[in-house]
Amino acid sequence: MQKKIVSTNKKAYHDFLIFDKFTAGLVLTGTEIKSIRKGSINLKDSFVKIEDGEAFLYNAHISAYEQGNRFNHEEKRVRKLLLNKKEILKMLGKIKQENYTVVPLELFFCGRWAKLEIALAKGKKLYDKREALKKKDIERNIAKNINR
């Protein structure tokens, strides 16, 4: 099936070192899915927490659906993620033992279903961020010189 990307979390790639990636389904309401299809979602400050053997998405901002009436959704509500028990246990073990965190990377449609790609990540230190920026700058300069 084709993957149609709706939103990416660029801040996650800048602030974290990404390790394992997982694909999770989302439990959404009707107005939320309509708003996502329009592209009205922001994953910038969102994070994933595992509570009682279930994964939840916090701080993901899905704008209110314009044609929605009184049944419109709350914009920053907590949303449940659909993952296998084995995946949740793997993430939970890494979080507790090695101080990983779980961040959302991108939201996409796989057929008619909305999916969220999440990853186990560790926070970058300031010097790691500077190093990444230097590397990106060098690659940009090399590409510019090659095209001349």
Side-chain angles (χ1 to χ4, degrees), residues 39-52:
S40 304
I41 182 167
N42 186 0
L43 297 172
K44 187 175 180 183
D45 295 323
S46 58
F47 60 95
V48 176
K49 236 184 195 179
I50 298 176
E51 299 168 346
D52 299 326

Side-chain angles (χ1 to χ4, degrees), residues 27 32 51 56-59 74 76-80:
V27 177
E32 285 177 327
E51 299 168 346
F56 295 95
L57 178 67
Y58 287 85
N59 269 1
E74 187 182 324
K76 281 201 170 186
R77 77 176 183 90
V78 178
R79 293 165 182 92
K80 185 177 176 182

Side-chain angles (χ1 to χ4, degrees), residues 7 27 29 31-32 37 42 51-52 67 70 72 79 84 90 92-93 105-106 113 115-116 123 139 143 145:
S7 177
V27 177
T29 63
T31 54
E32 285 177 327
R37 287 191 191 281
N42 186 0
E51 299 168 346
D52 299 326
Q67 282 77 35
R70 64 180 180 198
N72 231 335
R79 293 165 182 92
N84 291 333
K90 181 179 180 182
L92 199 57
L105 298 178
E106 65 183 20
W113 304 106
K115 303 281 184 177
L116 184 70
E139 288 173 0
N145 289 335

Side-chain angles (χ1 to χ4, degrees), residues 17-35:
L17 295 170
I18 307 298
F19 295 102
D20 290 343
K21 293 182 181 182
F22 302 93
T23 302
L26 285 148
V27 177
L28 300 169
T29 63
T31 54
E32 285 177 327
I33 197 72
K34 288 179 180 182
S35 190

Side-chain angles (χ1 to χ4, degrees), residues 93-131:
K94 294 263 186 171
I95 290 168
K96 287 186 177 181
Q97 289 177 350
E98 302 172 28
N99 290 332
Y100 281 86
T101 185
V102 184
V103 292
L105 298 178
E106 65 183 20
L107 187 114
F108 60 92
F109 281 103
C110 187
R112 64 185 195 139
W113 304 106
K115 303 281 184 177
L116 184 70
E117 186 175 57
I118 58 177
L120 283 169
K122 274 193 175 180
K124 283 185 183 177
K125 305 285 186 217
L126 184 60
Y127 57 84
D128 288 333
K129 291 179 189 178
R130 287 185 187 143
E131 198 173 296

